[in-house]
Amino acid sequence: SLIDALLGAAGFGDIGEFFPDTDERYKNADSTELLKEVISLLTKTGYEIINADISIIAEKPKLKNYKTKIQRNLSNILNAPVNIKATTNEKMGFIGRGEGIAVISTANLTYKDWHEHYNSRK
């Protein structure tokens, strides 16, 4: 979800375009490594991550004791603030039955090269 948010904020499409599940290279891939590849792409193309916000929707496991660690780890990888929120689905649907989870992420980027160009014209 975070990778999709970052790619979407840059207008680069989605995770399936970069790391298709039909490609054996990505079977059981470490999502942290894929995230680092996306961050590298963003950096090389002039983007800087401002922040990310992540909502995790799950009945179980309870994430209260993990949110700070997840937030710290992702902030270190992104080199930007990350906010983690956890909620339940109030026992509704497949999430409420504990059959899965959902994650909704947003990311804010700035375009560094634009700022450099703008500031050089002043």
Side-chain angles (χ1 to χ4, degrees):
S1 177
L2 178 56
I3 290 172
D4 273 334
L6 292 166
L7 291 170
F12 288 169
D14 64 49
I15 191 171
E17 295 173 46
F18 286 83
F19 311 109
D21 62 2
T22 55
D23 189 329
E24 284 296 315
R25 291 180 295 169
Y26 304 117
K27 185 175 182 174
N28 299 316
D30 180 343
S31 60
T32 302
E33 294 305 314
L34 302 181
L35 178 59
K36 289 176 183 177
E37 283 187 45
V38 168
I39 293 167
S40 176
L41 170 66
L42 293 173
T43 301
K44 287 177 186 174
T45 54
Y47 288 96
E48 181 179 352
I49 301 167
I50 300 299
N51 68 340
D53 184 75
I54 302 170
S55 296
I56 305 169
I57 308 161
E59 295 295 320
K60 58 184 180 181
K62 297 297 182 192
L63 298 174
K64 179 180 176 183
N65 296 328
Y66 303 99
K67 286 180 3 178
T68 302
K69 184 176 181 181
I70 295 168
Q71 185 172 323
R72 190 175 329 123
N73 288 343
L74 289 174
S75 290
N76 286 336
I77 294 169
L78 268 60
N79 196 32
V82 174
N83 183 53
I84 302 286
K85 301 182 302 280
T87 189
T88 67
N89 211 41
E90 302 298 326
K91 304 199 183 316
M92 294 186 301
F94 77 92
I95 295 171
R97 291 189 301 270
E99 297 170 0
I101 65 170
V103 180
I104 301 168
S105 300
T106 59
N108 292 299
L109 307 177
T110 188
Y111 192 65
K112 293 187 302 187
D113 291 348
W114 181 86
H115 289 290
E116 291 169 14
H117 175 72
Y118 177 78
N119 289 331
S120 70
R121 295 178 59 201
K122 286 184 174 183

